[in-house]
């Protein structure tokens, strides 16, 4: 700390015929005022830079599902796709996988309600890939039998097997 204080020196040049203490004092006050003003301007510029960086980070940070306002504030043209399926969560997983910025809007004026997925127009190719994956998953889910149905079938098979064993034991009779 002591070395830093010793290294900081200020040079002050004053042109004049005869320099008195009053002239030297006034020159030093002007120099100090100018240094303070530069210091304030430097801090202000630094704060402005930080504010701009925070704003840029805030805009870049929001990815995935977001409000329409945030999506529009990113300054991109928006496109939309209509989704009639109520299972939007599976679409959100696909969109997150492809890191798409999107917003969902529900149209309740029609029964059943429709959903609109708004996304950036520049992400159209990525969006179509995500949408294909989403529809492929939903189709494969509809073709698969549910777990409950599989359980019911297994219960029926076990019940038939038990009845067969009971009839076998009756036919053989008691063994002694």
């Amino acid at each position: 700390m002591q070395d830093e204080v010793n290294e900081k020196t200020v040079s002050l040049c004053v042109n004049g015929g005869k320099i008195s203490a009053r002239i030297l004092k006034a020159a030093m006050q002007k120099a100090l005022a100018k240094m303070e003003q530069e210091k304030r301007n430097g801090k202000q510029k630094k704060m402005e830079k930080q504010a701009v960086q925070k704003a840029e980070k805030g805009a870049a940070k929001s990815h995935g599902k977001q409000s329409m306002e945030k999506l529009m504030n990113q300054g991109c043209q928006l496109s939309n796709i209509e989704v009639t399926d109520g299972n939007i969560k599976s679409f959100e997983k696909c969109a997150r996988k492809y890191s798409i910025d999107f917003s969902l809007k529900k149209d309740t004026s029609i029964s059943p309600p429709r959903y609109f997925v708004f996304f950036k127009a520049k992400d159209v190719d990525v969006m179509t890939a995500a949408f294909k994956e989403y529809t492929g998953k939903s189709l494969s889910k509809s073709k698969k039998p549910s777990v409950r149905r599989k359980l019911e079938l297994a219960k029926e098979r076990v019940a038939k097997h038990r009845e067969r064993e009971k009839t076998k034991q009756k036919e053989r009779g008691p063994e002694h």
Side-chain angles (χ1 to χ4, degrees):
M1 184 76 171
Q2 185 66 28
D3 293 333
E4 289 179 21
V5 172
N6 288 340
E7 288 178 10
K8 292 182 180 179
T9 57
V10 178
S11 63
L12 181 65
C13 296
V14 180
N15 290 335
K18 191 175 180 182
I19 297 176
S20 65
R22 197 177 321 145
I23 293 174
L24 184 61
K25 181 182 173 186
M28 289 177 84
Q29 284 178 340
K30 283 184 181 179
L32 285 173
K34 189 172 183 177
M35 288 191 316
E36 285 292 321
Q37 185 178 8
E38 287 175 1
K39 198 176 188 181
R40 271 189 251 119
N41 288 344
K43 282 184 181 180
Q44 189 175 9
K45 285 180 183 177
K46 189 176 179 182
M47 287 173 59
E48 287 174 359
K49 271 187 182 179
Q50 287 175 348
V52 168
Q53 287 174 347
K54 277 186 180 180
E56 287 174 355
K57 281 183 182 179
K61 258 188 186 178
S62 51
H63 288 293
K65 185 178 178 181
Q66 51 193 283
S67 67
M68 279 294 289
E69 186 177 335
K70 281 185 181 179
L71 198 61
M72 287 190 293
N73 284 342
Q74 291 179 6
C76 295
Q77 187 178 2
L78 299 180
S79 297
N80 69 336
I81 293 178
E82 181 184 335
V83 182
T84 54
D85 188 18
N87 192 8
I88 297 297
K89 285 292 181 188
S90 57
F91 173 74
E92 287 181 22
K93 286 179 185 177
C94 291
R96 214 175 304 125
K97 179 180 174 184
Y98 287 91
S99 66
I100 299 170
D101 299 340
F102 67 98
S103 178
L104 291 172
K105 284 292 173 191
K106 184 177 182 179
D107 182 15
T108 55
S109 63
I110 300 170
S111 180
R114 295 184 314 184
Y115 293 90
F116 291 99
V117 181
F118 289 89
F119 56 95
K120 294 179 184 176
K122 66 179 184 180
D123 295 341
V124 171
D125 296 333
V126 180
M127 185 67 183
T128 53
F131 207 69
K132 282 180 184 176
E133 183 177 327
Y134 163 69
T135 52
K137 279 184 180 180
S138 61
L139 286 174
S140 65
K141 280 183 182 178
S142 64
K143 289 179 183 177
K144 288 183 184 177
S146 69
V147 175
R148 291 184 183 200
R149 180 67 185 144
K150 286 181 182 178
L151 187 60
E152 287 175 17
L153 291 173
K155 282 181 181 179
E156 288 174 11
R157 277 189 242 133
V158 169
K160 286 180 183 177
H161 185 67
R162 282 187 187 158
E163 285 187 25
R164 267 193 226 147
E165 285 186 6
K166 285 181 183 177
T167 55
K168 277 185 183 179
Q169 286 178 355
K170 285 181 183 177
E171 289 175 9
R172 289 184 186 171
E175 291 181 23
H176 288 267

